[in-house]
Amino acid sequence: FSSKVVIERNKYISARIEVEAPKPIPNNQIWYTATAKVEPNETDVFGANIVSNKWNSSTNEGVITFDGDVTSIGYCAFHGCSSLTSVIIPNGVTSIGDGAFYSCRSLTSVIIGKGVTSIGFNAFSYCRSLTSVVIGNSVTSIGELAFCDCNALTSITIPDSVTTIEDRAF
Protein backbone atom coordinates (compact mmCIF):
# COMPACT_ATOMS: atom_id res chain seq x y z
CA PHE A 1 0.00 0.00 0.00
CA SER A 2 1.19 3.49 -0.69
CA SER A 3 -0.60 4.97 2.32
CA LYS A 4 -2.17 3.85 5.56
CA VAL A 5 -5.91 4.06 6.20
CA VAL A 6 -7.14 4.31 9.77
CA ILE A 7 -10.76 3.41 10.42
CA GLU A 8 -12.27 4.27 13.75
CA ARG A 9 -14.78 1.99 15.42
CA ASN A 10 -18.39 2.54 14.32
CA LYS A 11 -17.41 4.86 11.45
CA TYR A 12 -17.90 4.01 7.79
CA ILE A 13 -15.47 5.10 5.12
CA SER A 14 -15.83 4.39 1.43
CA ALA A 15 -12.49 3.78 -0.25
CA ARG A 16 -11.20 2.07 -3.37
CA ILE A 17 -8.13 0.03 -2.64
CA GLU A 18 -6.18 -1.70 -5.39
CA VAL A 19 -4.25 -4.76 -4.27
CA GLU A 20 -1.24 -6.07 -6.11
CA ALA A 21 1.06 -8.87 -5.08
CA PRO A 22 4.68 -7.92 -4.29
CA LYS A 23 5.70 -9.54 -7.59
CA PRO A 24 3.49 -10.72 -10.44
CA ILE A 25 2.31 -14.24 -9.67
CA PRO A 26 1.58 -16.49 -12.63
CA ASN A 27 -1.97 -17.86 -12.62
CA ASN A 28 -0.55 -21.38 -12.57
CA GLN A 29 1.12 -20.93 -9.16
CA ILE A 30 0.24 -20.44 -5.50
CA TRP A 31 2.93 -18.83 -3.37
CA TYR A 32 3.16 -19.46 0.36
CA THR A 33 5.37 -19.24 3.41
CA ALA A 34 5.46 -22.00 5.97
CA THR A 35 7.49 -23.61 8.70
CA ALA A 36 7.60 -26.83 6.63
CA LYS A 37 6.61 -27.88 3.13
CA VAL A 38 2.85 -27.63 2.64
CA GLU A 39 1.04 -30.51 0.97
CA PRO A 40 -2.56 -29.81 -0.10
CA ASN A 41 -5.09 -32.25 1.39
CA GLU A 42 -7.07 -32.34 -1.83
CA THR A 43 -5.34 -32.18 -5.20
CA ASP A 44 -8.33 -32.21 -7.55
CA VAL A 45 -9.87 -28.92 -6.36
CA PHE A 46 -7.72 -26.36 -8.17
CA GLY A 47 -8.98 -26.64 -11.76
CA ALA A 48 -5.49 -27.85 -12.74
CA ASN A 49 -3.06 -30.60 -11.69
CA ILE A 50 -0.07 -30.06 -9.42
CA VAL A 51 3.21 -30.34 -11.37
CA SER A 52 5.61 -29.40 -8.57
CA ASN A 53 5.67 -28.16 -5.00
CA LYS A 54 8.97 -26.51 -4.13
CA TRP A 55 9.80 -25.26 -0.67
CA ASN A 56 12.99 -23.47 0.40
CA SER A 57 13.76 -24.25 4.05
CA SER A 58 16.21 -21.33 4.38
CA THR A 59 13.61 -18.70 3.35
CA ASN A 60 10.46 -20.63 4.37
CA GLU A 61 8.99 -19.82 0.94
CA GLY A 62 7.13 -22.27 -1.25
CA VAL A 63 5.60 -22.35 -4.72
CA ILE A 64 3.03 -24.86 -5.90
CA THR A 65 3.03 -25.00 -9.72
CA PHE A 66 0.17 -26.42 -11.79
CA ASP A 67 -0.13 -27.63 -15.39
CA GLY A 68 -2.67 -24.87 -16.14
CA ASP A 69 -4.25 -21.82 -14.58
CA VAL A 70 -5.55 -22.29 -11.04
CA THR A 71 -9.25 -21.42 -11.19
CA SER A 72 -10.35 -22.32 -7.68
CA ILE A 73 -9.10 -23.31 -4.30
CA GLY A 74 -11.75 -25.87 -3.58
CA TYR A 75 -13.27 -27.79 -0.73
CA CYS A 76 -10.82 -28.40 2.15
CA ALA A 77 -7.78 -27.93 -0.13
CA PHE A 78 -5.47 -26.85 2.70
CA HIS A 79 -7.66 -27.84 5.68
CA GLY A 80 -5.54 -28.12 8.84
CA CYS A 81 -2.16 -27.32 7.21
CA SER A 82 -0.55 -26.29 10.49
CA SER A 83 2.76 -25.19 8.94
CA LEU A 84 1.21 -22.65 6.51
CA THR A 85 1.98 -19.07 7.64
CA SER A 86 0.98 -16.94 4.64
CA VAL A 87 -0.53 -17.40 1.21
CA ILE A 88 -0.93 -15.29 -1.92
CA ILE A 89 -3.83 -16.36 -4.09
CA PRO A 90 -3.25 -15.52 -7.79
CA ASN A 91 -5.56 -13.27 -9.80
CA GLY A 92 -6.78 -16.18 -11.97
CA VAL A 93 -8.57 -17.86 -9.06
CA THR A 94 -12.30 -17.09 -9.06
CA SER A 95 -13.42 -18.83 -5.87
CA ILE A 96 -12.18 -19.96 -2.50
CA GLY A 97 -14.24 -23.00 -1.59
CA ASP A 98 -15.83 -24.20 1.62
CA GLY A 99 -13.26 -25.02 4.29
CA ALA A 100 -10.34 -24.32 1.91
CA PHE A 101 -8.06 -23.05 4.71
CA TYR A 102 -10.10 -24.25 7.69
CA SER A 103 -8.03 -24.59 10.87
CA CYS A 104 -4.68 -23.50 9.40
CA ARG A 105 -3.69 -22.40 12.88
CA SER A 106 -0.32 -20.83 11.96
CA LEU A 107 -1.68 -18.80 9.04
CA THR A 108 -1.03 -15.10 9.76
CA SER A 109 -1.69 -13.31 6.47
CA VAL A 110 -3.64 -13.81 3.25
CA ILE A 111 -3.70 -11.80 0.04
CA ILE A 112 -6.67 -12.72 -2.13
CA GLY A 113 -6.17 -11.96 -5.83
CA LYS A 114 -8.40 -9.62 -7.77
CA GLY A 115 -10.10 -12.44 -9.73
CA VAL A 116 -11.79 -14.05 -6.71
CA THR A 117 -15.55 -13.40 -6.60
CA SER A 118 -16.56 -15.57 -3.63
CA ILE A 119 -15.15 -16.76 -0.33
CA GLY A 120 -16.93 -19.93 0.79
CA PHE A 121 -18.46 -21.26 3.99
CA ASN A 122 -15.82 -21.80 6.72
CA ALA A 123 -13.06 -20.88 4.22
CA PHE A 124 -10.71 -19.47 6.91
CA SER A 125 -12.49 -20.52 10.13
CA TYR A 126 -10.29 -21.35 13.09
CA CYS A 127 -7.20 -19.71 11.58
CA ARG A 128 -6.46 -18.43 15.06
CA SER A 129 -3.16 -16.71 14.18
CA LEU A 130 -4.61 -14.84 11.19
CA THR A 131 -3.95 -11.12 11.71
CA SER A 132 -4.20 -9.65 8.21
CA VAL A 133 -6.43 -10.27 5.18
CA VAL A 134 -6.50 -8.28 1.95
CA ILE A 135 -9.47 -9.06 -0.29
CA GLY A 136 -9.29 -8.22 -4.00
CA ASN A 137 -11.76 -5.89 -5.71
CA SER A 138 -13.88 -8.57 -7.41
CA VAL A 139 -15.14 -10.37 -4.31
CA THR A 140 -18.91 -10.00 -4.10
CA SER A 141 -19.71 -12.49 -1.34
CA ILE A 142 -18.16 -13.66 1.92
CA GLY A 143 -19.70 -16.92 3.09
CA GLU A 144 -21.14 -17.94 6.42
CA LEU A 145 -18.48 -18.48 9.11
CA ALA A 146 -15.77 -17.57 6.55
CA PHE A 147 -13.52 -15.97 9.20
CA CYS A 148 -15.18 -17.40 12.32
CA ASP A 149 -12.92 -17.75 15.36
CA CYS A 150 -10.04 -15.82 13.78
CA ASN A 151 -9.36 -14.26 17.18
CA ALA A 152 -6.13 -12.48 16.19
CA LEU A 153 -7.62 -10.73 13.13
CA THR A 154 -6.73 -7.03 13.44
CA SER A 155 -6.67 -5.90 9.81
CA ILE A 156 -9.01 -6.75 6.96
CA THR A 157 -9.58 -4.88 3.73
CA ILE A 158 -13.09 -5.36 2.37
CA PRO A 159 -13.65 -3.66 -1.00
CA ASP A 160 -16.87 -1.94 -2.13
CA SER A 161 -17.51 -4.86 -4.51
CA VAL A 162 -18.67 -7.00 -1.55
CA THR A 163 -22.47 -7.03 -1.57
CA THR A 164 -23.10 -10.03 0.69
CA ILE A 165 -21.57 -10.97 4.02
CA GLU A 166 -23.26 -14.09 5.36
CA ASP A 167 -24.17 -14.82 8.99
CA ARG A 168 -21.30 -15.04 11.48
CA ALA A 169 -18.71 -14.44 8.72
CA PHE A 170 -16.56 -12.80 11.39
Side-chain angles (χ1 to χ4, degrees):
F1 296 109
S2 58
S3 63
K4 186 174 184 177
V5 176
V6 177
I7 299 175
E8 295 178 29
R9 177 175 268 193
N10 298 324
K11 299 221 175 172
Y12 174 76
I13 299 176
S14 179
R16 179 172 170 81
I17 299 172
E18 291 286 330
V19 178
E20 291 294 329
K23 298 181 218 173
I25 298 176
N27 286 334
N28 71 330
Q29 294 181 337
I30 295 175
W31 293 5
Y32 67 89
T33 61
T35 57
K37 185 176 182 180
V38 169
E39 296 290 348
N41 294 314
E42 300 292 332
T43 58
D44 60 348
V45 294
F46 297 100
N49 298 310
I50 296 173
V51 173
S52 69
N53 184 356
K54 297 180 181 174
W55 182 70
N56 183 328
S57 62
S58 62
T59 62
N60 290 338
E61 296 174 332
V63 177
I64 301 172
T65 302
F66 298 82
D67 63 0
D69 288 353
V70 178
T71 57
S72 64
I73 298 179
Y75 178 77
C76 291
F78 294 98
H79 176 277
C81 287
S82 60
S83 64
L84 187 64
T85 57
S86 74
V87 66
I88 300 174
I89 298 168
N91 292 333
V93 172
T94 59
S95 65
I96 299 172
D98 296 348
F101 294 92
Y102 181 92
S103 196
C104 291
R105 295 183 183 251
S106 298
L107 187 63
T108 61
S109 70
V110 175
I111 296 176
I112 298 172
K114 61 184 176 183
V116 174
T117 58
S118 64
I119 300 171
F121 170 81
N122 265 336
F124 295 94
S125 290
Y126 297 96
C127 293
R128 294 196 168 148
S129 299
L130 189 60
T131 59
S132 166
V133 177
V134 178
I135 298 174
N137 287 333
S138 348
V139 172
T140 58
S141 66
I142 299 174
E144 185 175 354
L145 302 168
F147 296 94
C148 177
D149 224 353
C150 293
N151 301 339
L153 191 59
T154 57
S155 172
I156 186 162
T157 302
I158 301 175
D160 287 341
S161 60
V162 173
T163 57
T164 305
I165 298 176
E166 298 287 336
D167 290 341
R168 301 174 308 225
F170 298 94

